[in-house]
Amino acid sequence: MCSSKQFVGRDCRRRCTQCYYTTLLSDSVFVCTKHPEEESYIGIKMGDLKTEYHRQQLMATVGDQPPTAEAIPCNVTGVWRNELGSVLDIEAVGSELRGRYQSAVETAPGVTGPEHQAKLLGVTSNQGLQTSVAFSVLWEAGSCSSWVGQCFQLPDGKRVLKTVWMLRSVASCLADNWKSTRMGEDMFVFIS
């Protein structure tokens, strides 16, 4: 009979085990070390309605990286690129983020501003191993975008910034309000 330690492993098989030490990476994702001298693995807690979603996100972030029992702090300062080619250039000073966001896409010509870029302001939490970020951009045409997420330092040295975003476009009238908000996910990879 399994205890509350039942989870889905990286190989997508259900497992039940007693962990010597558990490190939570999120509400559903954890690193489990069976014994101090043994290899650890990353798992997803069962019972979560979003287990499959979290498994897919974990695999997209970690891929074929070997799991590790120790989370590594992640520095968000630098230049990042997402899958669409947008570039995020940020500097963290204490808990403040400042920089520029250069969009590779826009909903209409000129709405993002000159050279498709805008000033970025935000905050970061570098407490412990959880490097959380939240930042916003005000575009030339008056719309604004915000991102919130977390930076992950992978065992091979690669840094990944996983975020969700929301774009609020300017509505010309109250009747158009319903179509003025869009949301999605971004994964930025550190480039320099």
Side-chain angles (χ1 to χ4, degrees):
M1 174 129 211
C2 285
S3 69
S4 61
K5 299 288 189 203
Q6 188 176 23
F7 65 94
V8 176
R10 286 181 59 158
D11 60 1
C12 303
R13 292 191 331 224
R14 293 175 189 233
R15 290 201 177 93
C16 175
T17 187
Q18 292 296 320
C19 294
Y20 170 77
Y21 183 76
T22 303
T23 304
L24 291 176
L25 299 181
S26 76
D27 290 345
S28 300
V29 180
F30 67 93
V31 176
C32 178
T33 305
K34 291 189 219 175
H35 189 273
E37 288 82 36
E38 290 183 21
E39 183 178 340
S40 348
Y41 49 86
I42 295 177
I44 300 171
K45 291 180 187 176
M46 294 300 294
D48 184 350
L49 297 176
K50 297 181 182 178
T51 297
E52 179 59 22
Y53 168 79
H54 287 293
R55 186 191 69 75
Q56 291 172 358
Q57 292 301 305
L58 175 66
M59 297 312 294
T61 302
V62 178
D64 293 328
Q65 298 297 321
T68 178
E70 294 184 29
I72 305 166
C74 188
N75 180 6
V76 297
T77 295
V79 180
W80 303 77
R81 180 174 288 128
N82 72 7
E83 58 272 16
L84 298 174
S86 296
V87 176
L88 172 64
D89 185 357
I90 54 177
E91 180 180 9
V93 178
S95 63
E96 292 185 10
L97 292 177
R98 296 188 181 278
R100 300 205 67 73
Y101 188 91
Q102 184 172 8
S103 181
V105 296
E106 55 183 14
T107 56
V111 296
T112 58
E115 300 177 24
H116 305 288
Q117 62 180 326
K119 180 177 164 183
L120 172 150
L121 295 172
V123 293
T124 183
S125 170
N126 289 319
Q127 298 187 9
L129 299 174
Q130 301 294 329
T131 308
S132 303
V133 296
F135 55 90
S136 297
V137 168
L138 180 62
W139 300 107
E140 185 77 17
S143 60
C144 59
S145 298
S146 293
W147 291 258
V148 63
Q150 185 175 348
C151 183
F152 295 93
Q153 176 83 39
L154 302 180
D156 66 354
K158 183 177 169 183
R159 283 187 264 169
V160 180
L161 186 59
K162 295 285 287 184
T163 64
V164 292
W165 57 266
M166 181 179 288
L167 167 66
R168 175 61 191 203
S169 300
V170 176
S172 58
C173 64
L174 183 58
D176 289 341
N177 184 60
W178 68 272
K179 63 181 180 179
S180 295
T181 303
R182 294 179 204 85
M183 297 185 297
E185 293 184 47
D186 258 335
M187 183 170 86
F188 295 89
V189 176
F190 181 78
I191 56 175
S192 68

